Amino acid sequence: MKRLTTRVAIIGAGPGGLLLSHLLQLHGVDSIVLERRSRGHVERRVRAGLLEGGTVDFLREAGLADRLDREGLVHEGFVFRFGSRAHRMPFTELTGRTVHMYGQQELVKDLIRARTAAGARLWFDVPDVEPRGLETDTPAVRCTVAGEPVEIACDFVAGCDGFHGVSRRSVPPGALTTYERTYPYAWLGVLAQAPPAAEELIYAVHGRGFALHSMRSPAVSRLYLQVEAGESVENWPDERIWKELHTRLDIDGAPELAEGPVLEKSCVALRGFVTEPMSYGRLFLAGDAAHIVPPTAAKGLNLAVADIKVLAAAFREYYETGDRGPLDGYSAACLPGVWQAQEFSDWMSRLLHRPTEGRVFDERLQHARLEAVTHSPAAARNFAENYVGLARERTPARGGRP
């Protein structure tokens, strides 16, 4: 067995793992990144595309935003559509913050290029990663690289491999407490070669269910439909998708939705999930490995970046001074913001999605919430501060050191 050493073994080459590796190198800390999928798969994997202003600022500081600044679409508001009316939410006017539309896979491409150019040890197609000795001072990761068994001795392991990854499953039963909520609906997501019908996002509340009009570029639209939980993509041919999107999104006096070839479609279950603490021994969980939020408020990628910002700073402190306090305080620093994002994502899900059949009371509550958000300046400002991430940034840590 080939034996290697590194400071931090990072499992997962999504945006969290790649960003952590980049930041560690800036701090002079060696790492190895292991990804079970191929590079092509990782770069093509379509995910969220809304970056909060604080996320963009952090990527700029890290030297990773050149293409994002050239190609990302800057938004200062979005539109609610309900009751055949349109109401604009001017969140920049209310908060001073903008958001960027920039596909997660594009950020991943930027990060992979940066890591490759820096000569990082970034290995794809590594399917059998096995963290060991996490509760000891000498953890290791075993895997197979290019057909050769390898053991990587390290100081710490960073689990950035998502909800279904091996990192969290390597923790002994009972060592972590998990909290979970499942929702009675799902999203049918569509990527289409069609110009967006509007310059800003459209959140449509309709009697047949929620719909979202988003975009990835001036030529590519990203669209979502509320469907039943467990729905199959096979039940949604392109013709049915476009018909339902027109029904839920089109209103009199607004540009009609443009159609085009469907490039990709998938059904995504909505769930909320949090692990406490976000660490075990020498293992630190970040991003979807530690928490999942419903996609309604687009907080997943932004939460992952927030985790990595805290974790990278803690590693830097440890290797520069020997102080493990910030690492020990990692969960306490991150979890309040995680729960704040969970609360807003849950609230926004209830604001937008059609309640389950027969819940007339819930429909009336939904209408009251929409009227408040679109007509009360105080409610609109509170919503906007949550939407752009400002409220989460103001959430204090639970003691410990960030």
Side-chain angles (χ1 to χ4, degrees), residues 89 94 372-385:
M89 172 62 67
L94 293 166
V373 167
T374 53
H375 291 94
S376 164
R381 180 169 290 103
N382 179 69
F383 179 96
E385 289 185 355

Side-chain angles (χ1 to χ4, degrees), residues 303-324:
L303 278 181
V305 173
D307 291 347
I308 296 304
K309 182 177 181 180
V310 173
L311 187 57
F315 279 133
R316 179 181 185 178
E317 182 73 12
Y318 176 79
Y319 284 108
E320 287 184 353
T321 70
D323 181 5
R324 187 169 161 156

Side-chain angles (χ1 to χ4, degrees), residues 13-269:
L18 294 167
L19 178 59
L20 178 60
S21 178
H22 176 84
L23 296 171
L24 290 177
Q25 184 171 36
L26 294 180
H27 302 333
V29 179
D30 183 60
S31 68
I32 294 175
V33 182
L34 306 169
E35 168 59 47
R36 70 186 183 95
R37 300 283 195 171
S38 69
R39 175 173 176 173
H41 177 90
V42 171
E43 291 186 337
R44 290 191 302 268
R45 189 165 48 194
V46 177
R47 291 291 187 271
L50 188 151
L51 302 181
E52 298 169 352
T55 298
V56 174
D57 289 343
F58 186 67
L59 293 171
R60 287 185 182 130
E61 293 169 9
L64 296 166
D66 289 349
R67 191 163 73 97
L68 188 161
D69 281 330
R70 291 195 309 271
E71 301 178 14
L73 306 176
V74 181
H75 286 197
E76 297 183 351
F78 66 79
V79 174
F80 280 123
R81 286 184 181 175
F82 65 96
S84 300
R85 295 173 293 163
H87 306 264
R88 185 171 184 269
M89 172 62 67
F91 54 73
T92 299
E93 178 183 318
L94 293 166
T95 67
R97 295 286 189 92
T98 61
V99 301
H100 279 63
M101 299 306 300
Y102 190 69
Q104 177 173 312
Q105 73 274 21
E106 301 305 319
L107 177 58
V108 167
K109 291 174 187 175
D110 296 342
L111 287 162
I112 289 175
R113 291 191 189 104
R115 301 310 301 129
T116 302
R121 290 187 282 182
L122 169 56
W123 298 332
F124 295 95
D125 295 302
V126 184
D128 58 346
V129 175
E130 181 189 358
R132 303 165 66 91
L134 297 173
E135 68 284 354
T136 74
D137 293 336
T138 56
V141 176
R142 286 189 176 179
C143 57
T144 302
V145 179
E148 182 178 13
V150 174
E151 181 174 85
I152 304 168
C154 54
D155 298 332
F156 300 97
V157 177
C160 306
D161 51 344
F163 181 78
H164 298 289
V166 69
S167 297
R168 193 180 66 252
R169 290 189 282 111
S170 300
V171 177
L176 302 176
T177 301
T178 58
Y179 305 89
E180 188 167 12
R181 167 168 292 174
T182 56
Y183 291 81
Y185 35 75
W187 275 16
L188 173 66
V190 176
L191 192 69
Q193 190 72 42
E199 294 183 352
E200 297 178 331
L201 273 64
I202 301 170
Y203 294 86
V205 180
H206 191 274
R208 294 182 60 84
F210 165 69
L212 170 61
H213 175 285
S214 181
M215 63 286 294
R216 288 295 178 266
S217 75
V220 177
S221 295
R222 182 68 166 157
L223 306 136
Y224 298 92
L225 287 168
Q226 176 186 350
V227 295
E228 296 297 322
E231 182 64 279
S232 171
V233 171
E234 285 68 32
N235 295 331
W236 287 86
D238 295 358
E239 182 180 357
R240 182 186 180 192
I241 290 172
W242 287 115
K243 181 180 179 180
E244 196 65 29
L245 284 167
H246 280 294
T247 298
R248 301 187 195 185
L249 284 165
D250 292 346
I251 61 172
D252 293 341
E256 187 173 298
L257 184 68
E259 296 186 20
V262 173
L263 306 176
E264 179 179 309
K265 53 186 171 182
S266 61
C267 280
V268 179

